[in-house]
Amino acid sequence: MVFAAPGEALARAEELLAADPSPLHASVAHQVIGIWQRDFGDTRRALAHLRRARDLAARADSAEREADVLATLGVALVHAGRTRAGLAAFEQGVARGSGHTRARVLYRRAYVWWVLGRHGEALEDVRRAIPVLRQADDVIWTARALTLRATVHLAQGSVERADADFTAAEALWDTTGQEHDKADAVESRGLAAFRSGDVPAALRLLDEAEERYAKLGTPTFMLTIRRCEVLMAAGLATEALAEADGAIAVLEGIGGQSTRRAELLLVAARAARLAGEPQTSLARAAVAVRLFAGQRRTWYETHARLVLIEARAATGRGSGRLVADAATVAERLAAFGAPAAPEASLLAGRIALDLGWTADAERHLAVAARSRHSGPPLARMTGWAAQALRARAAGSARGVLEACRRGLDVLDDHRMTLGASELRARATAQGAELAALAQRASLVSGGPRRLLVWSERWRATVLSAPPTRPPADPVLLTAMTAFRELAARAEETRSDGGRPAPALEREQRRLEREIRSRTLHMRGEAPGDGDRFDVGRLLRRLGDEVRLVELAVLDGRVHVLLCGQGRVRRFEAGLLAEAEAEAEHVQAGLRRLAHPGAEARLPLVEAAGARLQHLLLGPAAAHLGSGPVVVVPPGRLHRVPWALLPALRERVLSVSPSAGSWLRARDTAPPPGGRQVLVRGPGLASGGAEIPELAERYGAARAPEGGTARHRPPGHGYGPGGSSLEARSSGTEAEGAGGRPPREGAARSPGVPDDRPPGHGYGPGGSSLDARPSGTEAEGAGGRPPREGAARSPGGPDRRGGPTVLEGDEARVPTVLRELDGAALAHIAAHGTFRADSPLFSSLRMADGPLIVHDFERLDRSPYRIILPCCDTARFASVGADELLGLVTALLPLGTAGVVACTAPVSDAAVVPLMLALHKGLDAGLSLAEALRDARASLPGDAVHQATGWAFTAFGAA
């Protein structure tokens, strides 16, 4: 019962002791309390109770009882760091027990051997125990022994054997009421999924195990260790470090197991190294090594020494001694059969290469390279990294590129098993070294074209395929609704001059964790890695007029790859670090210019823009021609206001996360019908003043009760003084199952026409705009939009009906999502909030709370064009190798071909004329980039309006 219902078992044991039991029964009660304290409380108290249980068993003259208690005592002593005394207790237990009891003692000693990392001894003891336990029909202890054997197999890299034992154990657990052991079985399956490379399944199973443990009220230190391992493999090292450090603090607070503390310190050291905190890693690893050595846990001590050496190397302490230490660790890990052995050999080889010891490097790298053909994805990538370094040392650029290609192919296959865009983005960090090696080799031997191919190979790969749509998970949808309501209440409290209650903030954070957790469980659906980048295709699409400027960073310096007129040219520019610092100065200047009275700073900001141009474009600025320019910056330069650079200021300018992403946007056909949606969120300083004017310009739509948008008859434009839009209830059938928006082409509410009749579009003054059918020659082959500069249809874009306007109480998330799905143009005037700590919770404020990135991922197709006129909507978090997480990048793989968004705080009042001018250009059939260029030029020349124009960027190619 101490595992099935620990709280009840503890209470029953204490009641029994209060009733003056016999020595035999008292021994059982003290043993139960000792187990509870050992696993869930204070190990010192556990030892006191277990010693008392041992003495009472001896007084009762029960050898079997004494043997059983000695085994429990042995486990507690080892967990307390007293390994020699623990093993001595087991020797006594094995000698005192017989038959069935001895088998239970052997199982527990096998567990201790596993804790100590002595896997051979563990397998031997469990091999002796299982037949006896089965013969005695002891289902619980047989299942425990099978689970333990599977765990040992996993530690040795034998995933198939582990799966077989886990399956057999789970079948036995289903016949028992041992809830704790059932939770342990789920946890173990999560570990097996992780070892086989299935990160989403591992996270899902570990979260399920955590829920089961929570119902029992038991601590989950081992689960935390395993979850941290999975988080690190998923690229979430910072989160893993926070979880490990939090668990260490809890464990120390209750006087918990010394063995678990050492394991948590090892996990924290690894997480800190991966998170780019080598000093923290050094500190954690040094303590872990000391603890493992004192506990005589050589297997774990060796793993901790590997992390210690990695941390030292990361701090720039490469030396011959470090090479020797890494080689020794590699040999020991290989002797243990540990999967981490290739990592140690790669580390030794890498340090030796840095020292110029090519012969030593080749020896170690050859050993590491053996892992490239088998094992889980990250182990194979280790092998290909070693092979690439061998080729570089041998002077074979071709060998470097082949090894890098093969290694990144492994990463692509792994990445596409991940459904969540965040995991896909962060997983790319595993390939950063391979991509950098390939870029250097290309620079030396391949010319600008090859460098462009390799720059694209690892840039914005998350955008190459849409993320998996969140499942119709009622728990997820409920959590998102609850999160939205809480966020709205918190915002209301803040707007009243107060601060949300701590309980409200805690619940909001809990719901964020739940939403994110369930999203990370999604498996990828798309096979392969999307379409391969083709330089020839890019140059054909650019033609003679358009230039694409891709910025690659090699060894801290910006290299400009200028594409156009059928060729790729390379120019060297400035240092990335200097450009980043200058970009921050520019951002600060734009923030100040958003407020009146800062006109004197305008020349300073313009001068900073000139310095940025020198650092980012260098001599390439003189070769941009006179046509449109597409800029493809690295992730770390995502905050640059490109329109501020003198060479780009008067141009048709767009920005794209990658050249491949720009090509996909160019090939995205607009949806039929030309449907437009105008949304006005609450609390805007300008009141979203452009929305009524745009509605008046286009002719408006109203939303009937319980239905979809109805377009007004001719002559009934919506404007100030017009009738208000009727409220539409959320959760109607039009939303589709699970509250999702209907798929494109799904039936709308009966009797509610979706568009006006052809030829009845309305422009300024109510004049008719000629409808343009999709698929005409003006769109280009395959229904694609025309090339920039190509002739457009007379009358501008297809707009066979007026827009849908959502404001006030109608601007609620379910309604907004329903109308956005498959729209041709969306203009969303709403407060934008960027979350650097959790970029996929970046949001737009609606009437019922935040519209977050996770909401957009539920759309079948996001709007073809989106205009986001409010602050910070174009801010991103740079993660992984060269990936960006944020609102704009979430939209691009979902069907959006173009976005206008803002990179800095702006004056709400100055935004209104900019937006009206932008729509005027779109009315005339211009692209977003063309319309934004003309809109900037139409603004007054004062500092506030100029800064507002520079702060907006056109992304994509629509």
Side-chain angles (χ1 to χ4, degrees), residues 544-545 547 562 565 569 620-629 647 651:
D544 292 332
E545 296 299 318
R547 300 287 188 274
L562 180 60
Q565 292 183 310
R569 290 178 286 172
H623 299 272
L624 295 178
S626 58
V629 173
R651 292 180 182 274

Side-chain angles (χ1 to χ4, degrees), residues 842-899:
S842 298
S843 62
L844 299 171
R845 184 179 164 198
M846 298 290 111
D848 57 340
L851 173 64
I852 61 176
V853 173
H854 291 297
D855 288 314
F856 281 104
E857 291 183 343
R858 293 164 53 207
L859 296 176
D860 278 336
R861 176 174 179 175
S862 60
Y864 178 70
R865 288 173 171 170
I866 297 184
I867 299 171
L868 302 170
C870 292
C871 308
D872 288 339
T873 47
R875 287 189 63 188
F876 310 100
S878 180
V879 301
D882 197 20
E883 307 289 338
L884 293 171
L885 290 179
L887 187 57
V888 172
T889 52
L891 294 167
L892 293 177
L894 294 171
T896 294
V899 182

Side-chain angles (χ1 to χ4, degrees), residues 533-910:
F533 176 70
D534 182 345
V535 177
R537 177 168 162 251
L538 172 68
L539 293 174
R540 288 192 297 273
R541 295 306 303 272
L542 290 173
D544 292 332
E545 296 299 318
V546 183
R547 300 287 188 274
L548 184 140
V549 177
E550 179 147 331
L551 305 183
V553 179
L554 281 80
D555 300 320
R557 182 167 292 279
V558 177
H559 293 255
V560 183
L561 298 172
L562 180 60
C563 310
Q565 292 183 310
R567 58 178 176 159
V568 181
R569 290 178 286 172
R570 183 179 68 85
F571 302 86
E572 274 195 26
L575 295 176
L576 176 65
E578 293 180 9
E580 286 184 287
E582 198 66 61
E584 288 302 317
H585 292 320
V586 167
Q587 284 289 332
L590 288 179
R591 282 195 295 271
R592 292 189 182 95
L593 289 175
H595 304 283
E599 290 81 0
R601 292 188 173 273
L602 184 61
L604 299 177
V605 172
E606 291 183 303
R611 290 193 297 271
L612 259 181
Q613 176 171 300
H614 174 72
L615 290 167
L616 295 177
L617 300 180
H623 299 272
L624 295 178
S626 58
V629 173
V630 181
V631 177
V632 178
R636 288 169 61 181
L637 293 175
H638 64 274
R639 296 201 67 192
V640 172
W642 296 97
L644 178 60
L645 275 57
L648 304 177
R649 201 170 292 173
E650 308 299 327
R651 292 180 182 274
V652 174
L653 169 68
S654 59
V655 175
S656 182
S658 70
S661 177
W662 182 81
L663 279 172
R664 284 187 291 276
R666 292 286 289 161
D667 290 344
T668 300
R675 191 162 53 84
Q676 301 151 326
V677 180
L678 305 177
V679 180
R680 177 158 57 167
L684 295 170
S686 68
E690 76 271 20
I691 296 295
E693 293 198 41
L694 292 175
E696 180 73 23
R697 174 197 298 271
Y698 291 138
R702 69 185 302 166
E705 184 75 30
T708 53
R710 182 191 302 274
H711 296 292
R712 295 180 174 224
H716 284 73
Y718 180 93
S723 60
S724 64
L725 298 176
E726 295 172 18
R728 169 171 37 206
S729 62
S730 62
T732 63
E733 287 182 6
E735 280 185 31
R740 292 182 180 174
R743 293 186 176 272
E744 198 174 351
R748 302 263 172 181
S749 302
V752 181
D754 190 47
D755 292 303
R756 299 187 184 191
H760 285 74
Y762 291 89
S767 61
S768 174
L769 293 171
D770 294 332
R772 181 178 64 196
S774 61
T776 62
E777 286 183 358
E779 285 184 7
R784 295 174 183 173
R787 293 176 184 269
E788 283 191 65
R792 297 182 183 268
S793 312
D798 177 10
R799 191 169 57 249
R800 288 171 290 183
T804 299
V805 180
L806 300 174
E807 59 181 359
D809 195 52
E810 288 171 334
R812 302 173 69 83
V813 171
T815 308
V816 171
L817 286 175
R818 181 167 61 244
E819 295 302 333
L820 291 181
D821 206 346
L825 173 67
H827 181 111
I828 308 176
H831 272 302
T833 301
F834 175 70
R835 287 279 301 276
D837 62 320
S838 191
L840 296 190
F841 280 92
S842 298
S843 62
L844 299 171
R845 184 179 164 198
M846 298 290 111
D848 57 340
L851 173 64
I852 61 176
V853 173
H854 291 297
D855 288 314
F856 281 104
E857 291 183 343
R858 293 164 53 207
L859 296 176
D860 278 336
R861 176 174 179 175
S862 60
Y864 178 70
R865 288 173 171 170
I866 297 184
I867 299 171
L868 302 170
C870 292
C871 308
D872 288 339
T873 47
R875 287 189 63 188
F876 310 100
S878 180
V879 301
D882 197 20
E883 307 289 338
L884 293 171
L885 290 179
L887 187 57
V888 172
T889 52
L891 294 167
L892 293 177
L894 294 171
T896 294
V899 182
V900 168
C902 184
T903 61
V906 289
S907 164
D908 282 357

Side-chain angles (χ1 to χ4, degrees), residues 343-437:
E343 291 179 37
S345 294
L346 174 60
L347 178 61
R350 189 184 287 119
I351 299 170
L353 267 185
D354 290 341
L355 295 172
W357 297 2
T358 53
D360 289 312
E362 167 60 25
R363 185 173 71 256
H364 298 307
L365 292 173
V367 173
R370 294 172 192 161
S371 69
R372 67 191 186 275
H373 295 304
S374 61
L378 299 184
R380 281 180 282 150
M381 285 187 61
T382 295
W384 284 115
Q387 186 69 8
L389 288 172
R390 292 178 73 195
R392 190 186 73 173
S396 171
R398 185 174 184 177
V400 171
L401 295 176
E402 174 63 14
C404 291
R405 182 185 67 78
R406 298 283 295 275
L408 289 175
D409 283 347
V410 172
L411 177 61
D412 284 334
D413 290 341
H414 167 64
R415 182 173 52 81
M416 295 309 293
T417 68
L418 308 174
S421 54
E422 179 178 3
L423 286 189
R424 288 184 182 179
R426 295 186 185 277
T428 59
Q430 308 286 351
E433 181 183 23
L434 287 170
L437 285 169

